[in-house]
Amino acid sequence: MFAHILIVVIIAIAITALAERRNVQPALLVAIVGLAASFIPGMPRLELEPEIILGIVLPPMLFSAASDFSFSSFAKRLGSIVNLGVFMVFGTTALVGIVASLALPGLTPAAALVLGAVLAPPDAVTAITIGRKAGLPVALMTVLKGESLINDAAALTLFAVAVAAAAGTHAFIDNTPLYFLYAAVVGIILGMLIGNLAQLARRKLGNPSLATAVSVIVPFAAYLLAEEIHASGVLAVVAAGFALGHHSAESGYEERIQERQFWRTIDTLLETFVFAYIGLQLRFVITDAIEAGYDMWQLAAAAAAIFVATVAIRFGWVFGTAFIARRRRAAAARRPARVARPGRRERPPSPPPLTWKENVVLSWTGMRGVVTLAAAAGVPLITATGADFQDREAILVLAFLVTIATLLIQGLTLPWLIKWLDLTNPDDGKHLAEQHALAVKIADKATLDALAEYRTTHDAPSSRRLVDMMAKRATHNAEAEPAIPPFDQAEALALGNILLEARRKQLIAARDARELDDTVLRDMLEQMDLEQAFMDSLGKEA
């Protein structure tokens, strides 16, 4: 099995490299090649237990996305994210269940509800990858990323409830709303606790390799501990990722450089494997359904109807809730402004709604992925009474067919749709430029303040010349210095480290005060980390 997995990963990486050279979406090409390869005579079946996918593959993917995501941007778009990642999951489950019952009359209501929960969560990995290359507006990317982080939690919790009802077993809490509340709240609290404890451990270790090892353990620990107490493992991983991502600015530069490259590598490996796995499973799932006595033409027709339903549901939900939000926003604008009270903190203005073009793209990004397949494979074989779980094979094959349809139809046409709608937003570039300009201003002021303090304790001529040169560079007036004056290299390196630390502290303070976005802070820290690595290499050579 492990040899097969290694071969799949190697081939998937080779396909990804080829796709990037040809400017083709790697994930889709890997899935297509895997799909074709599954029909090669003698191809062995690569099948992983759903616990492996959900407990080993999913946590690091979620953790990496959450730790690299701007929490302030997430909070600003929280309403849209919860609407799509939670409420639309419930609506999709119910409507897909209804359509599946009508399209496949032999399907039991319980199995239809389980299928609805299986197909409820879109996987935004492909959409985000395509959108990043196509330059989607920041607001739309934020909603897509945020939705992908929480919709799995809602869908898997709903799936557990549906399976318990269909199999005649009991969920951890029989009251469904209370169960959702428990799973979400306890999962988030546990994830934040684990993330903060991990950060404390990383500070004590003071070793980049050990710190990276801790970050590897965190997503698995958060997921497994949360699942052990019947909370949401997905939300625990996301919360832990947010916590460590927020505190990463306080870590040493070597830790950040090492972890940045490590998690980028892990993302590439997992994404290529996941899409290869999706493609490789289809033939075997179809074979199982035929052997179970199902008519494949009938299942294919049902899958087509369900696919159309998932697209229609997402379009209707996105545009329906957008219309309601605009009406509420217009009504709020007509109300008289409240008189500001001294000492009361004003609520920040709500972000502008997405445009109709952005909503079209958002509606079309409903590709299903690994969570759908893992949930489908997790349907039990037998019920509590010892009988076979009715329609399990139908659930599996419908889930796979719809997933493949979303990847091939929506995934392949999404780049064309983005290009045709021309979604470039000039305000994004303006806002990003303003944020970078603010970051540079904050860094320059921190440099000048640190230099002024350094000057009070170092009055040697060479020190004064060094401080003057640094001050001119901080004010972007280095051209006024015709030649670099002589200075002590050791002192220059020590002063450089002092200035870098001062800049970091002020940039982090601006982020914490919500003046600076996390994304811009990370960009600045990445540049400063490379600068400090260069200075440390010079210090070792000296």
Side-chain angles (χ1 to χ4, degrees):
M1 175 63 73
F2 290 108
H4 292 157
I5 292 175
L6 180 60
I7 292 171
V8 168
V9 171
I10 292 173
I11 295 174
I13 291 173
I15 295 170
T16 299
L18 176 64
E20 289 181 347
R21 289 183 180 180
R22 302 294 182 183
N23 200 25
V24 179
Q25 290 305 317
L28 299 178
L29 184 58
V30 168
I32 292 170
V33 172
L35 177 62
S38 71
F39 289 91
I40 297 175
M43 174 66 68
R45 182 169 190 171
L46 176 63
E47 186 174 18
L48 299 177
E49 293 296 326
E51 292 81 7
I52 294 179
I53 296 176
L54 294 178
I56 296 179
V57 176
L58 184 62
M61 294 179 70
L62 289 171
F63 177 81
S64 178
S67 60
D68 196 41
F69 193 24
S70 169
F71 183 76
S72 60
S73 299
F74 180 88
K76 288 177 184 177
R77 294 284 175 178
L78 185 61
S80 298
I81 291 169
V82 171
N83 174 49
L84 296 176
V86 179
F87 297 123
M88 191 175 70
V89 166
F90 296 161
T92 302
T93 299
L95 291 173
V96 166
I98 293 171
V99 172
S101 297
L102 296 174
L104 203 65
L107 199 67
T108 63
L113 186 62
V114 171
L115 178 63
V118 165
L119 287 170
D123 183 358
V125 171
T126 306
I128 291 170
T129 304
I130 295 172
R132 189 183 295 117
K133 288 186 176 181
L136 281 182
V138 172
L140 181 54
M141 289 291 289
T142 299
V143 174
L144 282 172
K145 289 180 181 179
E147 179 194 4
S148 70
L149 289 177
I150 68 172
N151 63 6
D152 294 340
L156 290 174
T157 306
L158 192 57
F159 172 75
V161 172
V163 167
T169 57
H170 291 282
F172 176 63
I173 299 175
D174 288 333
N175 186 301
T176 301
L178 186 60
Y179 181 35
F180 275 104
L181 182 64
Y182 168 84
V185 173
V186 174
I188 292 172
I189 292 174
L190 180 63
M192 294 295 293
L193 179 63
I194 290 174
N196 284 286
L197 288 176
Q199 180 61 23
L200 289 175
R202 284 149 58 91
R203 288 180 186 171
K204 296 291 185 181
L205 292 171
N207 182 298
S209 298
L210 293 177
T212 303
V214 170
S215 74
V216 174
I217 295 171
V218 166
F220 303 108
Y223 184 87
L224 294 175
L225 287 175
E227 291 294 318
E228 192 67 25
I229 59 175
H230 304 283
S232 172
V234 169
L235 288 181
V237 172
V238 170
F242 274 137
L244 273 186
H246 179 81
H247 291 302
S248 65
E250 304 164 11
S251 302
Y253 81 93
E254 291 176 309
E255 294 175 18
R256 281 193 297 271
I257 291 176
Q258 190 171 95
E259 288 184 7
R260 196 178 295 124
Q261 297 304 319
F262 173 82
W263 283 107
R264 285 174 183 171
T265 303
I266 292 298
D267 285 344
T268 300
L269 288 174
L270 289 178
E271 287 173 12
T272 53
F273 171 75
V274 161
F275 285 99
Y277 180 78
I278 290 173
L280 287 170
Q281 288 299 299
L282 183 60
R283 190 198 82 178
F284 302 101
V285 172
I286 291 174
T287 301
D288 290 344
I290 292 173
E291 290 177 353
Y294 287 95
D295 182 352
M296 272 312 302
W297 290 109
Q298 189 179 22
L299 287 175
I306 293 170
F307 166 71
V308 172
T310 58
V311 174
I313 291 165
R314 190 169 177 89
F315 265 93
W317 195 282
V318 168
F319 278 93
T321 53
F323 175 77
I324 294 172
R326 288 179 183 277
R327 292 289 298 271
R328 292 177 59 186
R329 189 182 182 93
R334 290 193 294 268
R335 295 193 201 107
R338 288 190 299 180
V339 179
R341 295 178 184 176
R344 186 175 71 179
R345 187 174 179 179
E346 290 297 318
R347 181 183 299 177
S350 58
L354 299 180
T355 65
W356 72 267
K357 290 183 178 181
E358 291 171 336
N359 281 326
V360 169
V361 172
L362 182 62
S363 301
W364 193 240
T365 54
M367 289 79 79
R368 269 54 181 177
V370 65
V371 174
T372 288
L373 304 188
V379 176
L381 293 171
I382 58 174
T383 65
T385 61
D388 292 341
F389 193 105
Q390 195 171 356
D391 297 320
R392 182 180 186 273
E393 289 78 10
I395 292 172
L396 272 169
V397 74
L398 288 172
F400 271 83
L401 288 175
V402 173
T403 298
I404 293 296
T406 60
L407 289 175
L408 297 184
I409 297 174
Q410 292 175 287
L412 291 175
T413 57
L414 183 58
W416 170 84
L417 180 65
I418 293 172
K419 184 178 180 180
W420 180 65
L421 290 174
D422 187 19
L423 287 175
T424 54
N425 188 345
D427 290 338
D428 285 346
K430 180 182 178 183
H431 175 72
L432 188 61
E434 290 173 350
Q435 282 279 292
H436 275 290
L438 176 62
V440 171
K441 182 179 178 181
I442 292 170
D444 288 347
K445 185 178 184 304
T447 299
L448 293 174
D449 291 344
L451 287 172
E453 184 178 350
Y454 188 85
R455 191 191 297 270
T456 61
T457 56
H458 297 75
D459 57 355
S462 61
S463 297
R464 289 198 300 270
R465 288 195 299 269
L466 180 61
V467 168
D468 289 341
M469 182 186 71
M470 293 286 195
K472 288 176 181 177
R473 290 186 174 182
T475 55
H476 308 284
N477 193 30
E479 67 274 10
E481 186 70 42
I484 297 178
F487 58 83
D488 181 77
Q489 182 175 336
E491 183 182 12
L493 292 174
L495 178 57
N497 284 322
I498 292 173
L499 299 182
L500 282 172
E501 184 60 26
R503 287 155 60 188
R504 282 196 195 95
K505 286 183 178 179
Q506 290 303 314
L507 289 169
I508 293 171
R511 188 275 310 272
D512 293 342
R514 298 186 179 180
E515 298 174 8
L516 203 62
D517 189 78
D518 280 318
T519 304
V520 177
L521 173 65
R522 291 191 183 108
D523 290 343
M524 294 291 290
L525 287 179
E526 186 169 358
Q527 296 175 18
M528 289 190 288
D529 289 345
L530 296 175
E531 185 178 344
Q532 186 158 10
F534 176 71
M535 288 195 302
D536 282 1
S537 67
L538 289 179
K540 292 176 182 178
E541 293 175 1

